[in-house]
Amino acid sequence: MVVTLILNTRLSKDERSYWEDWQQHKDPEAGNYLVERYLPLVDYIIQRFAFSLPKTVDKDDIRSLAYEGLLDAFDKFNIERDLKFETYATWRIKGAVIDGLRTRDWLPRSIRDKVKKIEKAYIELEQQNNASVTDEDVSAYLGITKAELNKTVAEAALSSMVSIDEPDYNENDPSGKYNTLEDKRGRFP
């Protein structure tokens, strides 16, 4: 779905009136108008972000963060400066999404960077060798020990969390979102 944005350099008289009503009086009607007017901008930015994020990131979380950014832009935009709101809001929305995702990510950025380097090394070596590569090959290529490689991969594996509030099993759909595994060696059924 392609979202068409209406970009205009000057505010119409009616739109300026809505902006003034919102900024001076927090008029709900003006706020509703502005939200409806600029909602396509939020959808456009969310679509752009969705391509670069891991599948573990919930799209509803991104949408919520983007809405927060839009509302923040409404409050901080200065209509007297003769700037396009779309440009200003785009930066505020992107910033809100990035900041929100960073605060929700408990894995340190240094580990994320190491994981990216490891993934890149696997890809490069596999393309060079035209075959699968071992952990030893990758650790030698990166100049780290195999233990360091395994530790980084293990730490990154812990970054994918599952909500304890989400049902893991549905009686009507036994395949569910998560499969329940039976421990046949355990003492309890």
Side-chain angles (χ1 to χ4, degrees):
M1 176 169 93
V2 177
V3 177
T4 306
L5 299 177
I6 303 169
L7 301 175
N8 56 345
T9 55
R10 301 235 188 268
L11 297 174
S12 70
K13 191 174 185 179
D14 287 340
E15 190 164 348
R16 186 172 186 82
S17 171
Y18 282 114
W19 273 107
E20 289 170 351
D21 288 346
W22 172 252
Q23 290 186 338
Q24 293 171 6
H25 310 292
K26 298 294 186 224
D27 179 37
E29 183 182 328
N32 288 338
Y33 169 83
L34 293 171
V35 167
E36 286 181 33
R37 167 81 169 83
Y38 294 105
L39 210 51
L41 181 64
V42 171
D43 293 334
Y44 174 76
I45 293 168
I46 290 170
Q47 288 175 2
R48 304 271 320 256
F49 260 101
F51 290 116
S52 62
L53 294 174
K55 293 176 184 171
T56 57
V57 176
D58 187 10
K59 293 199 183 1
D60 288 338
D61 288 344
I62 298 169
R63 184 172 303 282
S64 177
L65 293 168
Y67 288 149
E68 288 176 23
L70 179 66
L71 295 177
D72 185 51
F74 287 151
D75 288 339
K76 295 180 178 169
F77 182 64
N78 184 349
I79 60 175
E80 303 302 324
R81 291 194 58 199
D82 198 31
L83 297 173
K84 285 196 260 183
F85 176 74
E86 292 88 345
T87 305
Y88 178 77
T90 297
W91 287 106
R92 298 300 300 188
I93 294 167
K94 286 179 182 179
V97 171
I98 291 169
D99 290 347
L101 291 175
R102 281 184 183 152
T103 60
R104 294 175 185 187
D105 185 10
W106 62 274
L107 197 63
R109 192 170 189 152
S110 61
I111 302 291
R112 290 264 181 233
D113 291 341
K114 288 179 185 178
V115 169
K116 286 180 185 177
K117 287 179 184 175
I118 291 170
E119 288 173 348
K120 186 177 177 185
Y122 271 103
I123 292 169
E124 288 176 4
L125 287 173
E126 287 176 353
Q127 287 177 349
Q128 286 175 6
N129 299 336
N130 232 4
S132 294
V133 294
T134 64
D135 291 346
E136 290 83 5
D137 296 333
V138 172
S139 58
Y141 179 79
L142 292 172
I144 60 174
T145 66
K146 186 178 174 201
E148 289 173 308
L149 177 91
N150 289 334
K151 181 182 176 195
T152 302
V153 170
E155 288 173 342
L158 295 174
S159 70
S160 297
M161 289 195 211
V162 177
S163 170
I164 61 172
D165 295 329
E166 260 184 70
D168 66 346
Y169 181 77
N170 180 347
E171 290 181 21
N172 298 328
D173 179 16
S175 64
K177 185 170 183 178
Y178 308 105
N179 292 327
T180 304
L181 301 176
E182 179 182 355
D183 182 5
K184 294 180 182 180
R185 295 177 292 164
R187 295 187 340 209
F188 304 103

